[in-house]
Amino acid sequence: MLVILLGPPGVGKGAVARKLKDAYAFEIISSGELLRREIRENTEIGRQVEPLVSAGALVPDDLIINMVKERLLTRGNIILEGFPRNVRQADALEQILEDNGLQLDLALIFNAPEDVLKTRLQQRRICTGCNAVYHMINCPPIRENICNHCGSPLTKRLDDDEVLFRTRLERYLSSSSPLIDHYRDLGILKDINADLPLLDVYYQVLGSNVKFTQESF
Ligand code: ADP
């Protein structure tokens, strides 16, 4: 099964992706996470994209398309998060899938009001060791600023500040509507109300496609 998660920054796509991964052995391909890993490891790509990511700008389409393509070709259940971001990336994705006899099952669009998104990003911390994600109110670590899983310190994502939030949100609003129309036209788009506790959002996701109720897909 191949699922795309769409929605603004802070809407909780990543949290739902991790729950699906635990329940159904999905592999998560998160374009933002792929880029942050390159930056952390100070690779050539990392050095190229760092100024763009830290300014809240998009990286070049071809670069992200190639990064995702490499990982898409493992058959199995895949969640795409943060990709595609525009129609050009969506067209490239469809070509890759067609060339490899794969198909898209579902595109979920997560929605929540702007003030909710903003608060979630203000409260988000990530582990510097294992990348676990915390929300300082809804899901805080047991020891202050220390990861429950690996004991490393927590940090804020470099683009999670208030000014960049506006840039990222505006960029999302301007590029996402053609993409949403595209998936609505394909008949695979489902709306998810993400202004609810995580479990409620997760159950909506499970109810959005009959394949989630089958034992294997
Ligand atoms: P968010 O959606 O919350 O802004 P992501 O983790 O999805 O965060 O992405 C972080 C950054 O990585 C983006 O601001 C952008 O610079 C870059 N990025 C991620 N995905 C893409 C993509 N599909 N195309 C271009 N740039 C991307």
Side-chain angles (χ1 to χ4, degrees), residues 9 31-32 35-36 53 57-59 82 85 89 157 168 171:
S31 51
L35 294 168
R36 282 189 289 280
V53 172
L58 289 186
V59 310
R85 272 286 218 286
Q89 294 182 9
R157 241 172 70 172
R168 287 158 66 202
R171 185 203 61 203

Side-chain angles (χ1 to χ4, degrees), residues 15-192:
V16 168
R18 287 186 291 277
K19 285 197 88 59
L20 288 172
K21 177 183 174 164
D22 292 343
Y24 296 103
F26 273 95
E27 188 195 335
I28 303 174
I29 303 178
S30 158
S31 51
E33 188 43 46
L34 293 177
L35 294 168
R36 282 189 289 280
R37 187 182 308 155
E38 298 286 337
I39 295 172
R40 271 198 308 277
E41 293 174 0
N42 194 26
T43 62
E44 200 180 320
I45 291 180
R47 287 191 293 278
Q48 183 188 340
V49 300
E50 200 272 343
L52 297 167
V53 172
S54 35
L58 289 186
V59 310
D61 286 338
D62 291 335
L63 186 148
I64 196 74
I65 290 166
N66 286 330
M67 287 179 84
V68 170
K69 183 176 177 178
E70 274 174 32
R71 285 154 181 98
L72 259 180
L73 303 179
T74 61
R75 281 163 201 265
N77 297 323
I78 292 178
I79 294 174
L80 276 170
E81 191 227 329
F83 180 92
R85 272 286 218 286
N86 55 37
V87 174
R88 180 152 183 258
Q89 294 182 9
D91 290 342
L93 171 64
E94 272 145 50
Q95 191 60 55
I96 297 168
L97 296 179
E98 194 186 314
D99 292 347
N100 291 281
L102 298 168
Q103 72 169 43
L104 264 178
D105 293 280
L106 181 64
L108 297 171
I109 169 78
F110 288 60
N111 296 299
E114 187 177 326
D115 57 323
V116 172
L117 305 175
K118 202 166 154 182
T119 314
R120 285 188 185 160
L121 291 187
Q122 275 164 352
Q123 299 300 333
R124 174 158 71 185
R125 299 291 182 280
I126 51 171
C127 172
T128 50
C130 68
N131 276 324
V133 182
Y134 295 84
H135 182 292
M136 298 311 273
I137 298 167
N138 298 341
C139 174
I142 297 164
R143 282 184 295 155
E144 202 182 330
N145 230 31
I146 297 291
C147 179
N148 295 348
H149 307 289
C150 75
S152 305
L154 306 185
T155 183
K156 281 193 96 165
R157 241 172 70 172
L158 89 169
D159 53 358
D160 273 352
D161 78 44
E162 215 166 308
V163 179
L164 279 180
F165 167 68
R166 278 244 62 85
T167 313
R168 287 158 66 202
L169 184 63
E170 272 157 24
R171 185 203 61 203
Y172 169 77
L173 294 173
S174 64
S175 65
S176 62
S177 49
L179 199 57
I180 293 167
D181 293 345
H182 177 76
Y183 290 120
R184 218 180 281 285
D185 291 348
L186 289 180
I188 59 167
L189 189 79
K190 292 282 161 63
D191 290 280
I192 300 294

